[in-house]
Amino acid sequence: MEQLITIRTFTYPHEIYVIRGKLESEGIRTFLKDEMTVQVHNFYSNAVGGVKLQVFAEDADKALDILDSVKEIPQEVIVLSKKEFENSTSCPFCHSGNISRMRKSNWLTLIPYLIVGFIFPVYRSFYICFECGKRWKIKK
Ligand SMILES: [Zn+2]
């Protein structure tokens, strides 16, 4: 009997899909544990320890190598205080001016995310840097 090994856990299922797609494309079968629980009740994600991405024990080494090689797109929106982010025209992380303010209500800005297949977390508005990919919002 084959043993399943958890190679990574995620808070929300949408974070998994890109990585899972990559593993599957490399011929590794993946399994999600607790996916349904978390999808139905997001609040339970922490309670059940997140969604677990699992592979067969024999694939674990290869899967971990692939995970290491994948440059992940930062998904987190970092919350900054107003003090930390006084200048709203450049990225606080790499100081690039190539940033944009995103709003949930503006569907045009969401289209790139829909194409890549992310279910984007609901934030009223946040900033994104197109240079380093970081996202942040300002604490009120
Ligand atoms: Zn940046």
Side-chain angles (χ1 to χ4, degrees):
M1 191 178 141
E2 304 220 53
Q3 197 192 348
L4 287 174
I5 288 186
T6 299
I7 54 168
R8 194 172 283 195
T9 57
F10 301 81
T11 311
Y12 300 107
H14 65 84
E15 298 170 307
I16 284 184
Y17 296 141
V18 171
I19 287 170
R20 190 184 190 193
K22 174 74 181 160
L23 292 176
E24 296 273 352
S25 76
E26 301 274 345
I28 293 175
R29 278 197 75 186
T30 60
F31 305 87
L32 297 184
K33 200 177 169 214
D34 296 328
E35 183 193 17
M36 293 316 287
T37 316
V38 174
Q39 266 182 350
V40 176
H41 303 287
N42 269 341
F43 294 128
Y44 291 171
S45 184
N46 286 332
V48 297
V51 183
K52 294 155 194 82
L53 181 61
Q54 298 185 318
V55 299
F56 286 125
E58 61 183 31
D59 291 332
D61 283 346
K62 192 181 169 195
L64 288 171
D65 282 349
I66 293 168
L67 287 189
D68 283 345
S69 72
V70 174
K71 191 171 179 278
E72 287 178 53
I73 304 155
Q75 283 295 294
E76 241 174 288
V77 175
I78 298 150
V79 180
L80 298 176
S81 71
K82 271 193 178 134
K83 248 187 191 168
E84 288 172 297
F85 188 60
E86 287 170 305
N87 177 6
S88 63
T89 60
S90 68
C91 171
F93 305 99
C94 70
H95 305 293
S96 162
N98 192 10
I99 66 169
S100 176
R101 187 178 182 146
M102 304 288 228
R103 276 172 203 277
K104 188 191 145 211
S105 53
N106 186 346
W107 279 96
L108 286 177
T109 64
L110 286 178
I111 286 171
Y113 297 109
L114 295 175
I115 292 167
V116 236
F118 292 123
I119 304 158
F120 206 72
V122 179
Y123 288 101
R124 270 186 104 78
S125 78
F126 61 94
Y127 295 88
I128 183 165
C129 171
F130 297 109
E131 291 301 324
C132 66
K134 287 234 166 58
R135 293 160 195 183
W136 65 96
K137 59 182 280 196
I138 310 302
K139 200 164 78 184
K140 294 266 152 60

